[in-house]
């Protein structure tokens, strides 16, 4: 496989690897984060990615006698992980996760649809869990930059693909594997892989005016200032200041609520109906999916504690906020722990 690390140790007696558990863990540990990210892209949630990475290493350990050391350890682990993801998708009720309910038009003013616990919502991914982007550079066949392929919009886009197309696109266009390598993993011919890729690329291209998600570079000083102003607006309970940071055509989603909003005026109309629900806000900077993010703690009027309230993932664009995804209760507070944040903020 492409970009292969060194092989496992030689085979021992009866064809068993001369490898104990500690040595196995040392060899596989280097691939844990990139496999976890791969599983997240396939599944759309952090907790499923965690479970599937654990499942991958358990299966790898139990089937270690099948690895002869002549191929790539990395490729072997990706084979197990990808097939585990495909099997898990078959077993669940929804093949993909969403940040916006398909076919639902944008709302106006007060949210009326309510939270939809029965829908499968796409979750954010903590930057602290991302693999080292230098060591994880894709192969020569890749069509997407590593930083581009972790954005929330990209993960949301590939979730619309059928599972096999999703796997083929991730292996070829994100990881840079050849069609032949991907066919060996997924089964079938190189022709079938190339056909799946063409359909996947066409689906993604139809979602974006330029045929693909906007490419983003490393965080800039302008992005840092935007994040600072965003946090200041929330902590000052300055609704107008918050709205000024949005582009005129900004989109706002708030999983698990079905309602979503398009445009600065519509977003302002919604927030006017909920802004006073809390006595104050405290903002903590973090990062998710390679993007600036903010964890918001809120204090209710009758309460003295600042409790986890929502997690905001920001998509900057042209000097403002192009898209804002805010995970609210029960999804919001449940996400704080994976981001290393406590459920209650204690003022210093």
């Amino acid at each position: 496989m492409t970009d292969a690390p060194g092989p496992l140790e030689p085979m021992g007696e009866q064809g068993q690897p001369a490898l104990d558990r500690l040595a196995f863990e040392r060899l596989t540990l280097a691939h844990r984060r990139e496999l976890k990210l791969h599983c997240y892209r396939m599944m759309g949630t952090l907790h499923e990615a965690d479970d599937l990475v654990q499942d991958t290493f358990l299966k790898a350990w139990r089937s270690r006698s099948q690895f002869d050391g002549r191929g790539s350890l990395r490729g072997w682990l990706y084979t197990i992980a990808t097939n585990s993801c495909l099997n898990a998708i078959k077993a669940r009720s929804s093949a993909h996760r969403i940040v916006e309910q398909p076919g639902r038009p944008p709302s106006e003013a007060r949210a009326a649809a309510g939270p939809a616990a029965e829908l499968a919502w796409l979750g954010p991914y903590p930057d602290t869990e991302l693999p080292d982007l230098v060591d994880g550079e894709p192969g020569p066949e890749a069509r997407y930059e590593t930083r581009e392929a972790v954005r929330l919009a990209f993960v949301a886009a590939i979730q619309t693909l059928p599972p096999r197309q999703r796997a083929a696109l991730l292996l070829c266009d994100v990881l840079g594997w050849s069609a032949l390598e991907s066919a060996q993993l997924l089964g079938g011919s190189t022709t079938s892989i190339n056909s799946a890729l063409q359909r996947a690329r066409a689906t993604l291209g139809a979602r974006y005016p330029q045929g693909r998600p906007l490419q983003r570079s490393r965080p800039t000083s302008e992005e840092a200032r935007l994040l600072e102003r965003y946090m200041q607006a929330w902590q000052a309970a300055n609704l107008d200041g918050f709205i000024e940071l949005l582009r005129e055509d900004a989109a706002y989603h708030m999983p698990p609520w079905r309602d979503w909003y398009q445009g600065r005026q519509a977003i302002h109309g919604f927030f006017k109906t909920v802004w006073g629900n809390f006595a104050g806000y405290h903002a903590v900077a973090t990062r998710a999916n390679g993007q600036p993010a903010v964890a918001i703690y809120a204090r209710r009027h009758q309460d003295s504690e600042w409790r986890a309230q929502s997690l905001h993932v920001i998509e900057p664009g042209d000097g403002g906020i192009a898209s804002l995804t805010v995970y609210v209760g029960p999804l919001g507070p449940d996400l704080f722990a994976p981001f290393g944040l406590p459920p209650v903020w204690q003022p210093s």
Side-chain angles (χ1 to χ4, degrees):
M1 296 294 178
T2 305
D3 194 22
L8 289 173
E9 294 180 7
M11 305 294 284
E13 296 179 0
Q14 288 83 46
Q16 293 294 325
L19 187 70
D20 60 24
R21 183 175 290 276
L22 289 177
F24 176 83
E25 289 177 354
R26 285 197 300 270
L27 285 168
T28 55
L29 183 62
H31 306 292
R32 179 176 292 275
R33 284 193 170 184
E34 64 170 307
L35 287 169
K36 185 174 177 177
L37 178 58
H38 178 65
C39 291
Y40 165 72
R41 288 174 173 137
M42 284 291 298
M43 307 301 297
T45 66
L46 179 64
H47 76 270
E48 286 184 306
D50 274 323
D51 290 345
L52 284 162
V53 167
Q54 290 298 110
D55 183 63
T56 294
F57 285 113
L58 180 60
K59 289 178 178 177
W61 171 253
R62 289 174 175 172
S63 62
R64 62 195 185 281
S65 62
Q66 299 175 21
F67 186 81
D68 60 12
R70 290 193 295 267
S72 159
L73 170 62
R74 180 173 182 258
W76 183 58
L77 292 173
Y78 266 102
T79 298
I80 298 172
T82 303
N83 285 315
S84 293
C85 289
L86 290 172
N87 289 334
I89 292 171
K90 287 180 183 178
R92 71 186 190 187
S93 59
S94 175
H96 60 269
R97 292 186 172 270
I98 60 173
V99 292
E100 177 185 319
Q101 189 174 2
R104 183 176 183 83
S107 302
E108 295 183 5
R110 182 178 295 275
E118 75 279 6
L119 297 179
W121 297 99
L122 175 68
Y125 198 82
D127 273 25
T128 53
E129 293 294 328
L130 292 176
D132 188 322
L133 295 183
V134 175
D135 293 339
E137 285 300 313
E141 302 292 328
R143 293 164 61 95
Y144 293 96
E145 295 179 358
T146 302
R147 293 180 182 277
E148 178 185 12
V150 303
R151 313 296 290 195
L152 195 63
F154 177 83
V155 181
I158 64 173
Q159 285 289 306
T160 65
L161 301 173
R164 185 176 171 85
Q165 289 184 31
R166 193 184 314 167
L169 184 122
L170 288 174
L171 293 171
C172 295
D173 288 0
V174 174
L175 296 177
W177 290 21
S178 68
L180 175 60
E181 291 171 324
S182 299
Q184 291 171 344
L185 187 159
L186 295 173
S189 64
T190 56
T191 300
S192 68
I193 294 298
N194 284 325
S195 176
L197 278 174
Q198 288 178 356
R199 294 195 298 272
R201 290 166 181 168
T203 299
L204 290 190
R207 290 175 60 92
Y208 300 100
Q210 297 179 348
R212 60 190 296 157
L214 292 175
Q215 292 179 297
R216 302 294 184 192
S217 60
R218 295 176 182 272
T220 63
S221 57
E222 182 180 9
E223 183 179 291
R225 288 193 296 271
L226 179 66
L227 179 63
E228 182 179 1
R229 292 177 61 197
Y230 187 90
M231 294 173 64
Q232 289 173 347
W234 275 87
Q235 294 192 148
N238 182 358
L239 175 57
D240 290 338
F242 158 59
I243 295 299
E244 286 176 1
L245 300 177
L246 304 175
R247 287 191 343 192
E248 286 290 347
D249 61 347
Y252 170 68
H253 300 89
M254 51 179 182
W257 287 71
R258 292 182 175 91
D259 297 271
W260 69 283
Y261 297 84
Q262 183 75 58
R264 183 188 286 177
Q265 183 175 352
I267 298 171
H268 181 265
F270 163 71
F271 271 96
K272 281 184 66 176
T273 69
V274 299
W275 194 257
N277 288 350
F278 295 93
Y281 303 98
H282 175 73
V284 176
T286 184
R287 290 191 66 83
N289 296 80
Q291 301 169 223
V294 175
I296 293 292
Y297 291 86
R299 182 174 62 83
R300 295 188 178 277
H301 293 280
Q302 71 279 12
D303 198 351
S304 60
E305 285 192 321
W306 298 82
R307 299 184 181 276
Q309 193 267 339
S310 55
L311 185 77
H312 303 207
V313 184
I314 299 168
E315 179 69 48
D318 298 327
I321 295 174
S323 177
L324 180 62
T325 303
V326 175
Y327 292 89
V328 296
L331 290 184
D334 290 345
L335 292 172
F336 276 49
F339 281 80
L341 297 166
V344 176
W345 176 67
Q346 301 289 350
S348 55

